[in-house]
Amino acid sequence: MQLQTQTRPKVISVSVIDDRIDAATAIQFKEKMRDATRNGPARVVLDLARVQFLDSSGLGAIVAVKKLLGPDRILELASLTPTVEKVFRLTRMDSIFTIHPNLDAAVAHAASA
Amino acid sequence: MPRVPDQTSGTPELRLVFGADPVAIRRSLSRMLASPPLSGLGAEARGAAELVLAEILNNVAEHAYDEAGGTVEVTLRPDAGGILCQIADSGRSMPDGRLPEGKLPASSAPLQDLPEGGFGWHLIRSLCADLSYTRSEGRNLLVFLIPG
């Protein structure tokens, strides 16, 4: 599980380099996200542009990251591919995240917040 | 009621037997998606197929076999309206001998109470049809149709 992190003035973006977050990698994803977001701005954007597949374990791990960040920080999502978007929609977890069409929109939103 | 396979189709069925662990499941899913009959589906139906199969296989690994390992057998064949799937394992029976209801966990909970699991059966039931479960001679058999 490879993550690419970029820290900007008001937002830290984390791009998942792997093409799936599934039962085989969910725990590793959660641990790497915790390390990647330990310091930095309150707002975190998770860029899922390369993720073609997310199962319920992967979804649970993303929710767990939101909880790990705590009430004073915020996790937003960007660039959901069709199958990943479907998982969020069918489980109604799209209602607990702000979802941006792409990373640029997420960063612009953070800059104006 | 289990469906009777349509024998008139020319597309061959695919049968795979593999270990019920996350790495073998990932590898087998990749092979299933790249081979007939699933390779012939459109992108959306293939995505749904991968998700349903992954959720069921992960459940077999995690619950039927309690992460202790065991084999699982998957058979996929074209049928009227989609792909007929059979998944068999020799692990523990479903709780109370029947399929979980798949009730979606609440998404409106306070932050620390948000659900990190319990989504699997809801996803399975949302994306497949004609789902049936039988327990016979120490084996679990799930049969369902992936529309496509």
Side-chain angles (χ1 to χ4, degrees), chain B residues 47-107:
Chain B
E50 183 169 18
L51 191 52
V52 171
L53 291 166
E55 294 296 338
I56 290 175
L57 293 168
N58 290 340
N59 280 338
V60 169
E62 194 178 333
H63 302 297
Y65 287 124
D66 276 330
E67 299 179 5
T71 58
V72 60
E73 180 183 328
V74 178
T75 308
L76 308 171
R77 68 170 73 98
D79 193 49
I83 307 297
L84 186 66
C85 310
Q86 297 187 42
I87 301 186
D89 67 78
S90 303
R92 203 166 48 173
S93 168
M94 292 277 181
D96 303 323
R98 58 172 185 258
L99 289 168
E101 198 183 331
K103 194 162 176 269
L104 201 56
S107 54

Side-chain angles (χ1 to χ4, degrees), chain A residues 20 22 55-56 67 90, chain B residues 26 50 55 58 114 116 122:
Chain A
R20 45 203 298 137
D22 61 13
D55 65 10
S56 62
K67 291 161 77 168
L90 288 174
Chain B
R26 178 191 267 213
E50 183 169 18
E55 294 296 338
N58 290 340
L114 287 173
E116 294 177 36
H122 177 77

Side-chain angles (χ1 to χ4, degrees), chain A residues 18 20-25 30 52-57 59-61 63-64 66-71 83 86-87 90-93 95-96, chain B residues 22-23 26 29-30 43-45 47-48 50-51 54-55 58 62 104-108 111-117 119-120 122-123 126-127:
Chain A
D18 295 39
R20 45 203 298 137
I21 310 173
D22 61 13
T25 56
K30 186 174 147 183
Q52 302 297 320
F53 182 76
L54 176 81
D55 65 10
S56 62
S57 305
L59 175 66
V63 175
K66 178 180 169 72
K67 291 161 77 168
L68 279 173
L69 286 170
T83 303
K86 185 180 269 185
V87 171
L90 288 174
T91 58
R92 299 195 198 124
M93 288 294 110
S95 67
I96 70 163
Chain B
V23 174
R26 178 191 267 213
L29 279 172
S30 167
E44 192 179 346
E50 183 169 18
L51 191 52
E55 294 296 338
N58 290 340
E62 194 178 333
L104 201 56
S107 54
S108 55
L111 178 68
Q112 289 310 322
D113 297 333
L114 287 173
E116 294 177 36
F119 306 115
H122 177 77
L123 288 171
S126 301
L127 295 169

Side-chain angles (χ1 to χ4, degrees), chain A residues 88-106:
Chain A
F88 276 92
R89 183 163 38 82
L90 288 174
T91 58
R92 299 195 198 124
M93 288 294 110
D94 55 350
S95 67
I96 70 163
F97 290 99
T98 298
I99 299 173
H100 299 281
N102 54 58
L103 187 54
D104 287 347

